[in-house]
């Protein structure tokens, strides 16, 4: 899921999905530090979770909660039906929410013990 989030987040900036000004969208580009941080931290989490490291579990929990907070606060600040999020924002929100649910499952918590 972490790799899927990185692909969607970086891919949306490369394909310029966020070019439409009629709706709220995720605006990332390769020139922004945020895009690089998302890619590096997401891939680091994915590699660490494959190795079942506890630090990767905690980092994944913190990173996904922070990203969910950023998405929700941005949508909440708009609070108008004229500026609904684009479909890719819903996709990112769904990926983060599913990743967070899978991460806090008892099996995932107990398997990351190294």
């Amino acid at each position: 899921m972490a790799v899927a989030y990185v692909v969607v987040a970086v891919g949306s900036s490369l394909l310029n999905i966020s070019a439409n000004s009629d709706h709220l969208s995720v605006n990332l580009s390769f020139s922004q530090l945020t895009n690089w941080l998302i890619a590096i931290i997401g891939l680091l989490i994915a590699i660490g979770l494959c190795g079942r490291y506890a630090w990767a579990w905690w980092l994944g929990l913190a990173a996904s909660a922070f990203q969910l907070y950023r998405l929700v606060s941005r949508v909440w600040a708009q609070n108008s039906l004229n500026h609904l999020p684009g479909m890719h924002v819903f996709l990112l929100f769904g990926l983060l929410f599913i990743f967070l649910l899978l991460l806090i499952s008892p099996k995932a918590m107990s398997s990351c013990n190294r």
Side-chain angles (χ1 to χ4, degrees):
M1 292 302 280
V3 174
Y5 180 78
V6 169
V7 169
V8 171
V10 173
S12 69
S13 68
L14 296 178
L15 296 175
N16 260 344
I17 292 175
S18 61
N20 190 352
S21 64
D22 292 338
H23 58 80
L24 179 68
S25 61
V26 176
N27 190 11
L28 299 171
S29 71
F30 259 144
S31 64
Q32 291 181 347
L33 178 64
T34 308
N35 199 19
W36 287 102
L37 286 175
I38 288 171
I40 291 169
I41 292 173
L43 293 176
L44 185 66
I45 291 168
I47 291 168
L49 287 176
C50 285
R52 297 183 179 177
Y53 292 109
W55 60 264
W57 186 87
W58 284 105
L59 184 60
L61 186 69
S64 60
F66 179 71
Q67 283 295 94
L68 277 173
Y69 167 75
R70 287 184 63 214
L71 281 173
V72 169
S73 66
R74 190 169 178 190
V75 169
W76 188 272
Q78 294 291 328
N79 71 10
S80 170
L81 292 178
N82 295 332
H83 298 286
L84 287 176
M87 195 61 190
H88 59 284
V89 175
F90 287 121
L91 177 63
L92 288 174
F93 180 77
L95 283 172
L96 281 171
F97 188 71
I98 292 170
F99 178 71
L100 193 59
L101 286 179
L102 290 174
L103 201 60
I104 61 173
S105 70
K107 279 191 169 189
M109 289 169 52
S110 64
S111 69
C112 294
N113 56 7
R114 296 194 317 172

